[in-house]
Amino acid sequence: ETGVTQTPRHLVMGMTNKKSLKCEQHLGHNAMYWYKQSAKKPLELMFVYNFKEQTENNSVPSRFSPECPNSSHLFLHLHTLQPEDSALYLCASSQEGITSGTTDTQYFGPGTRLTVL
Amino acid sequence: TQLLEQSPQFLSIQEGENLTVYCNSSSVFSSLQWYRQEPGEGPVLLVTVVTGGEVKKLKRLTFQFGDARKDSSLHITAAQPGDTGLYLCADQAGTALIFGKGTTLSVSS
């Protein structure tokens, strides 16, 4: 039990659909992250939120829209995705967030396996 | 842009064997981390190393950090089926973690 949960665990959607991924952390952390894990590429950071404020957008296409209503919840809204967006989407949280010169352990959820048809 | 190369990409061994996997960086690591990701789960942090030449042990796992802080190895002694998973190395680079593609380890009984 990592304390970070993600729903749904599996999602199949068409390119014209709109769906949302949900992440919840029960660790009292202040920073939350979205990562994308594709079969042939390294795990890639997408977004970072510190104290509900977005502090990092790693050149992610606008068809991915994050939302962080509070420190415990993080959403990833999806619309008009492409087949190449099929991947495992991982959420993570950490106590204070990554800042230069510090190492802040990140705790990952189990991920949502997304398939775009 | 920093690149992390991990080798081998795949490794399939029998229970009881020893193995070593490697992680090499195109630039000096800021803070090297090793993770294990089991099927259907997210990565779990195993260890963080920051000092060149550092060796850390975690039960049957031994982590070595190169003197020049550009390479690292993970050695597993007497592998068990429970060691099966994807082993990832990562570096903290500013506000992001940079990951390698990982080594997929399969240990059969």
Side-chain angles (χ1 to χ4, degrees):
Chain A
E1 177 59 53
T2 65
V4 180
T5 58
Q6 292 187 241
T7 55
R9 294 294 307 274
H10 300 273
L11 179 63
V12 179
M13 59 186 290
M15 288 190 286
T16 59
N17 292 158
K18 291 185 179 181
K19 296 287 184 183
S20 295
L21 310 185
K22 179 182 176 182
C23 175
E24 183 173 1
Q25 58 96 0
H26 312 274
L27 301 170
H29 289 166
N30 296 308
M32 297 187 78
Y33 312 80
W34 279 117
Y35 286 86
K36 176 183 179 181
Q37 189 172 31
S38 305
K40 297 183 178 180
K41 299 173 74 173
L43 218 157
E44 301 170 89
L45 178 68
M46 300 175 71
F47 301 104
V48 181
Y49 277 82
N50 267 303
F51 295 92
K52 301 187 299 178
E53 298 296 322
Q54 186 180 132
T55 58
E56 181 100 14
N57 177 338
N58 201 21
S59 302
V60 180
S62 60
R63 57 186 184 269
F64 295 91
S65 174
E67 178 189 2
C68 189
N70 54 61
S71 294
S72 299
H73 294 86
L74 184 65
F75 295 89
L76 187 63
H77 303 300
L78 315 171
H79 62 97
T80 60
L81 294 191
Q82 304 298 312
E84 58 265 29
D85 296 322
S86 298
L88 181 68
Y89 289 84
L90 290 161
C91 172
S93 71
S94 67
Q95 184 63 51
E96 298 294 342
I98 297 175
T99 58
S100 179
T102 67
T103 301
D104 194 23
T105 301
Q106 293 188 26
Y107 296 84
F108 287 83
T112 294
R113 174 67 62 185
L114 174 68
T115 302
V116 182
L117 301 177
Chain B
T1 303
Q2 183 183 20
L3 294 176
L4 302 186
E5 297 285 342
Q6 292 191 244
S7 61
Q9 187 176 357
F10 299 98
L11 190 55
S12 182
I13 62 172
Q14 295 289 317
E15 182 177 5
E17 293 184 27
N18 302 331
L19 68 114
T20 302
V21 298
Y22 302 91
C23 175
N24 291 282
S25 174
S26 59
S27 56
V28 174
F29 281 99
S30 299
S31 173
L32 168 63
Q33 301 180 353
W34 281 96
Y35 291 79
R36 180 170 65 216
Q37 184 176 14
E38 298 182 12
E41 300 297 330
V44 175
L45 180 65
L46 296 174
V47 74
T48 300
V49 286
V50 296
T51 304
E54 187 174 4
V55 177
K56 284 194 174 181
K57 292 190 176 184
L58 183 65
K59 296 183 181 179
R60 295 175 293 99
L61 278 60
T62 301
F63 304 87
Q64 288 191 305
F65 199 17
D67 291 339
R69 298 177 61 232
K70 293 185 68 176
D71 60 275
S72 179
S73 64
L74 161 57
H75 182 80
I76 301 178
T77 303
Q80 300 177 359
D83 296 325
T84 292
L86 176 66
Y87 288 81
L88 296 161
C89 65
D91 187 24
Q92 178 190 330
T95 58
L97 278 174
I98 306 297
F99 283 87
K101 293 183 181 180
T103 293
T104 299
L105 172 65
S106 175
V107 183
S108 53
S109 56

